[in-house]
Amino acid sequence: MTPEERDRHRKGPITLRGSQRPERTTDQRLLEEDGPADWVHADPWRVMRIQAEFVEGFGALAELGPAISIFGSARLREDSPFYACAMEIARGVVEMGYAVITGGGPGIMEAGNRGAQEAGGISVGLGIELPHEQGMNEYVDLGVDFRYFFARKTMFVKYSSGFVVMPGGFGTFDELFEALCLMQTHKIDMFPVVLVGRDYWQGLLDWLRTAVVDGGMVGPLDIDLMRVVDTPQEALDVLREAARKGPQTGADQIVT
């Protein structure tokens, strides 16, 4: 063995030399009786936790069937007209044969789950670990809690046939633009994205059509990925129209 080969340490697919070469093998560290516990917080261990979240999420939702996700602010309470609106949309979604998925928290999420449960449908909550714990609302029949936003967002996209987006804050915007980006880049097939509350969303749409489209950042057709409505019936009409047309690819959207 040459000096260069003796200096080389292989750890699975990783090659380590010089100062990167460890003094102990992975097996030695694993079998230590009283070794340090900080390894459970290291990035390689987090990969296992991330994998577990995907496995648990896929396992819980694999037999869910078609579903519509409803997003919106956790801060809007039962006396908000948008709460009642979200409940009515959820009831209509169930009558169409879909399950309802929300983030599982309070506010608009609670309204979506409540409307689905009261209509006799499947009410799903995909929760997220936050510094100020919210917990699953009482109307969730099937709940899955996540540590990582990206794992949770994958479940929303994978198991949804459409998004209904009520007024909300950064979390709602995050889910909205995640879906738009995935459709724009043809990572997923087109599905309906319905914005409820024209007065709330109009400023955003105006900015997109001027500063963003006119600046060449997106194309005019990209804005058409969203439909803005005011009433539950209008939202349900958009979902019914999309269900009638069936899944569309990015090429379909460009042609139309």
Side-chain angles (χ1 to χ4, degrees):
M1 181 181 294
T2 66
E4 181 182 347
E5 289 171 329
R6 283 194 296 271
D7 185 54
R8 183 174 59 197
H9 179 85
R10 298 293 299 274
K11 186 168 69 172
I14 302 170
T15 298
L16 301 168
R17 292 189 178 92
S19 63
Q20 296 299 306
R21 182 185 173 93
E23 295 181 0
R24 301 171 67 78
T25 68
T26 302
D27 274 343
Q28 284 175 306
R29 292 196 300 274
L30 174 64
L31 297 173
E32 283 177 343
E33 182 178 348
D34 189 26
D38 57 354
W39 62 274
V40 299
H41 304 294
D43 286 343
W45 182 249
R46 288 192 180 102
V47 171
M48 301 302 292
R49 288 180 174 169
I50 293 166
Q51 177 180 320
E53 291 210 343
F54 281 106
V55 170
E56 290 165 359
F58 291 154
L61 302 174
E63 299 180 2
L64 177 62
I68 299 294
S69 287
I70 298 177
F71 301 97
S73 175
R75 303 183 185 191
L76 294 178
R77 302 303 176 187
E78 193 171 351
D79 58 357
S80 166
F82 289 114
Y83 188 103
C85 181
M87 281 189 64
E88 188 172 344
I89 291 171
R91 292 191 194 103
V93 164
V94 168
E95 291 171 2
M96 292 169 58
Y98 291 91
V100 170
I101 305 175
T102 79
I108 295 300
M109 294 174 281
E110 177 186 287
N113 291 127
R114 181 177 176 181
Q117 188 184 82
E118 291 181 356
I122 301 175
S123 172
V124 180
L126 305 181
I128 186 70
E129 179 186 32
L130 295 173
H132 304 288
E133 186 64 39
Q134 294 178 327
M136 288 285 179
N137 68 67
E138 61 182 304
Y139 303 102
V140 171
D141 298 319
L142 171 58
V144 184
D145 280 309
F146 293 87
R147 285 188 179 93
Y148 301 101
F149 269 113
F150 55 82
R152 179 183 186 236
K153 289 197 288 186
T154 298
M155 302 303 153
F156 278 120
V157 171
K158 179 173 175 60
Y159 294 103
S160 295
S161 298
F163 279 10
V164 174
V165 189
M166 309 292 294
F170 288 164
T172 301
F173 303 155
D174 184 38
E175 300 292 354
L176 168 62
F177 282 104
E178 174 86 4
L180 294 176
C181 179
L182 290 172
M183 288 192 287
Q184 182 202 46
T185 55
H186 303 172
K187 291 292 187 180
I188 60 172
D189 288 340
M190 302 294 164
F191 62 57
V193 175
V194 187
L195 308 184
V196 181
R198 185 170 275 102
D199 287 346
Y200 184 82
W201 294 108
Q202 195 60 54
L204 172 64
L205 294 172
D206 290 342
W207 174 73
L208 289 172
R209 289 193 177 102
T210 54
V212 183
V213 172
D214 291 349
M217 311 302 176
V218 302
L221 287 177
D222 293 329
I223 309 303
D224 295 336
L225 295 172
M226 296 173 284
R227 296 280 296 275
V228 60
V229 302
D230 275 321
T231 68
Q233 188 57 52
E234 288 176 316
L236 292 169
D237 286 344
V238 174
L239 296 176
R240 290 191 189 96
E241 178 187 356
R244 180 179 56 81
K245 289 182 177 180
Q248 290 188 294
T249 66
D252 295 328
Q253 190 267 344
I254 292 170
V255 169
T256 57

